[in-house]
């Protein structure tokens, strides 16, 4: 069994991936936050000595690099993005090189693309506006510049929902993503704010590309297999190929929860475009991956199961202000 190291293994995607891949590979993780899992080591990637000790001892054959300052919020100190994304990736790459590891998968983001109403392809124009996107792009370049490393860069669109076995999902503090915010607030009768109903779309609300976490895990699993089989680097968009409007999600949540939502449409935010959707033909062709779990029914139904579990164990979601 191949040994796989996940960085950021205590985060949303990392934790889900850890359990998803456990039956198929020998999995270890690292995260700067403490985890109850004994194979997830507490280590800040910036601490090169500690990182090197773990990697030297554990000898993973491939790294899935998910650790990042991932919340997109320009009020967060820019240094946090440069440290946890750019500098941490540099530190990781040095340790990877030292230990002769030849394969890496990196989680990048659709936020690096210039906004466009057309579906975004891997070769669509790049324009990283946020500090988050700028630092993710720097990481991509660092990885691409490593001569002896084979890599897959995955540019994720909006990751959402939860796994079923075990039931595990998103728990950010504060929560800023649409699906977990909307479903939670609907279930617990809290005030919901939606940005904008005057976008240039069929129902006036903005359209984004949502990807079920199970499809993200499957894309990473296929990327691992591709790297071991072909030993070639590549870069893919990971999205659904079609979007969902905020109103479509609201309507489904309303129907499913049978609640009268306490919902208000507020002014759209500066810079928000009408539509951001992925063209995922390349990944379909090369990895044979499609977003087969990313339909609205499965996304919302699985999120509800996860919220019921959170409620059972007494965990409450926290929100900064409005929905995003
Ligand atoms: N969730 C999404 O919708 C989405 C979309 C596009 C890209 N991504 C990317 O996917 C990856 C995972 O996203 P997520 O939603 O799970 O994020 P997350 O914030 O839930 O998890 C990130 C984890 O990385 C850890 N971490 C941060 N800096 C570290 C460091 N210096 N050393 C060790 N650990 C560190 C954090 O403690 C956290 O547990 C990130 O790279 C993110 O940029 C996510």
């Amino acid at each position: 069994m191949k040994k796989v190291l996940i960085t950021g293994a205590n985060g949303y995607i990392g934790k889900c991936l850890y359990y998803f891949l456990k039956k198929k590979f020998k999995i270890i993780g690292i995260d700067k936050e403490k985890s109850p899992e004994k194979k997830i080591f507490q280590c800040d990637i910036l601490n090169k000595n500690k990182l090197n000790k773990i990697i030297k001892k554990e000898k993973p054959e491939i790294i899935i690099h998910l650790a990042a300052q991932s919340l997109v919020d320009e009020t967060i100190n820019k240094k946090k993005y440069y440290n946890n994304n750019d500098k941490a990736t540099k530190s990781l790459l040095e340790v990877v090189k030292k230990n002769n590891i030849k394969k890496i998968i990196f989680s990048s983001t659709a936020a690096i693309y210039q906004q466009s109403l057309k579906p975004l392809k891997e070769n669509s124009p790049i324009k990283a506006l946020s500090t988050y996107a700028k630092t993710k792009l720097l990481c991509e370049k660092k990885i691409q510049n490593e001569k002896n490393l084979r890599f897959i860069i995955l540019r994720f669109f909006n990751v959402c929902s939860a796994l079923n076995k075990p039931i595990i999902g998103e728990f950010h503090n504060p929560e800023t993503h649409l699906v977990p915010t909307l479903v939670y607030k609907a279930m617990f009768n809290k005030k919901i704010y939606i940005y904008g109903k005057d976008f240039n779309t069929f129902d006036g609300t903005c359209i984004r590309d949502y990807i079920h976490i199970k499809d993200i895990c499957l894309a990473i699993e296929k990327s691992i297999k591709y790297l071991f089989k072909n030993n070639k680097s590549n870069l893919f968009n990971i999205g659904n190929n079609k979007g969902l409007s905020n109103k479509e999600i609201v309507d489904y949540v309303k129907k499913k929860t049978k609640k009268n939502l306490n919902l208000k449409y507020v002014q759209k935010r500066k810079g928000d475009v009408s539509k951001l959707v992925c063209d995922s033909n390349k990944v379909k062709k090369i990895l044979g991956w499609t977003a087969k779990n990313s339909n609205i029914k499965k996304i919302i139904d699985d999120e509800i199961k996860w919220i019921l579990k959170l409620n059972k164990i007494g965990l409450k979601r926290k929100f900064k202000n409005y929905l995003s």
Side-chain angles (χ1 to χ4, degrees):
M1 239 192 218
K2 305 261 185 247
K3 197 167 198 178
V4 176
L5 168 70
I6 302 171
T7 74
N10 207 31
Y12 164 42
I13 298 174
K15 217 182 271 182
C16 292
L17 187 68
Y18 183 87
Y19 290 106
F20 182 85
L21 292 180
K22 228 174 153 185
K23 288 191 198 110
K24 303 164 188 179
F25 301 95
K26 263 191 215 158
I27 305 290
I28 53 167
I30 60 164
D31 200 293
K32 65 177 178 180
E33 303 297 336
K34 201 171 165 41
S35 161
E37 283 290 335
K38 63 176 189 304
K39 279 292 176 189
I40 298 181
F41 305 100
Q42 189 174 15
C43 170
D44 190 315
I45 296 177
L46 289 164
N47 184 343
K48 244 186 282 176
N49 283 338
K50 190 169 179 186
L51 183 65
N52 188 50
K53 269 190 198 150
I54 297 171
I55 291 190
K56 202 170 166 188
K57 181 163 179 276
E58 295 291 334
K59 298 187 175 40
E61 289 163 80
I62 182 165
I63 311 281
I64 322 268
H65 182 31
L66 304 175
Q69 173 63 44
S70 70
L71 183 70
V72 187
D73 181 348
E74 287 300 306
T75 63
I76 292 177
N77 188 339
K78 287 190 173 154
K79 222 174 156 184
K80 278 197 176 174
Y81 291 102
Y82 282 97
N83 282 341
N84 294 314
N85 299 353
D86 186 38
K87 269 194 181 171
T89 300
K90 182 169 180 269
S91 165
L92 176 69
L93 289 174
E94 282 172 27
V95 175
V96 159
K97 197 170 180 177
K98 202 170 170 180
N99 288 277
N100 211 20
I101 297 167
K102 299 270 193 262
K103 294 174 179 58
I104 193 165
I105 293 168
F106 175 62
S107 59
S108 190
T109 169
I112 57 134
Y113 288 114
Q114 183 176 329
Q115 297 185 338
S116 164
L117 292 180
K118 287 195 204 136
L120 293 160
K121 294 184 183 193
E122 288 79 358
N123 58 3
S124 292
I126 301 289
K127 191 171 185 184
L129 292 176
S130 63
T131 313
Y132 166 69
K134 282 179 188 151
T135 56
K136 294 299 272 190
L137 198 55
L138 287 172
C139 297
E140 282 195 11
K141 296 220 166 98
K142 283 197 168 62
I143 292 169
Q144 284 164 330
N145 285 340
E146 285 296 324
K147 286 204 179 64
N148 294 318
L149 200 58
R150 295 291 172 268
F151 62 81
I152 301 255
I153 291 170
L154 300 174
R155 292 180 180 154
F156 298 153
F157 281 65
N158 300 308
V159 187
C160 60
S161 199
L163 294 184
N164 269 325
K165 281 182 206 150
I167 299 176
I168 180 160
E170 191 164 6
F171 194 71
H172 291 119
N173 181 14
E175 191 52 76
T176 59
H177 294 151
L178 175 79
V179 169
T181 306
L182 174 61
V183 182
Y184 188 90
K185 288 189 170 187
M187 286 170 73
F188 298 108
N189 307 309
K190 299 200 181 302
K191 185 106 188 162
I192 299 164
Y193 299 94
I194 301 280
Y195 292 116
K197 56 173 179 181
D198 56 350
F199 286 98
N200 184 18
T201 57
F202 74 100
D203 65 10
T205 65
C206 65
I207 295 176
R208 295 292 179 268
D209 190 316
Y210 294 91
I211 251 310
H212 193 292
I213 181 69
K214 189 167 180 194
D215 285 330
I216 292 288
C217 293
L218 286 164
I220 294 174
E221 185 186 355
K222 281 188 182 283
S223 301
I224 298 173
K225 290 182 176 158
Y226 176 91
L227 275 178
F228 279 109
K229 192 169 170 218
N230 300 291
N231 201 30
K232 267 203 292 203
S233 298
N234 225 323
L235 183 155
F236 303 110
N237 281 346
I238 300 295
N240 193 1
N241 239 5
K242 60 179 179 349
L244 285 170
S245 79
N246 280 353
K247 188 162 182 305
E248 279 180 297
I249 302 177
V250 164
D251 288 347
Y252 184 81
V253 170
K254 199 169 165 183
K255 193 173 110 194
K256 181 75 195 179
T257 58
K258 299 189 179 70
K259 298 264 191 182
N260 276 324
L261 305 189
N262 187 359
L263 185 140
K264 190 175 172 190
Y265 284 95
V266 293
Q267 225 180 10
K268 64 182 170 202
R269 294 172 305 182
K270 210 174 146 209
D272 269 354
V273 286
S274 301
K275 193 173 171 184
L276 266 186
V277 176
C278 171
D279 179 326
S280 56
N281 285 311
K282 184 179 173 193
V283 66
K284 183 177 175 190
K285 200 169 148 206
I286 296 179
L287 290 189
W289 176 93
T290 54
K292 58 184 180 194
N293 295 285
S294 300
N295 57 76
I296 188 160
K297 184 175 183 313
K298 183 153 176 64
I299 286 174
I300 303 302
D301 294 3
D302 288 348
E303 180 63 21
I304 290 175
K305 286 183 200 150
W306 167 235
I307 293 175
L308 291 173
K309 182 170 167 188
L310 281 179
N311 197 40
K312 206 168 152 190
I313 55 180
L315 283 176
K316 286 194 167 67
R317 278 198 167 134
K318 296 193 177 107
F319 306 96
K320 198 173 171 199
N321 42 28
Y322 287 174
L323 262 190
S324 52

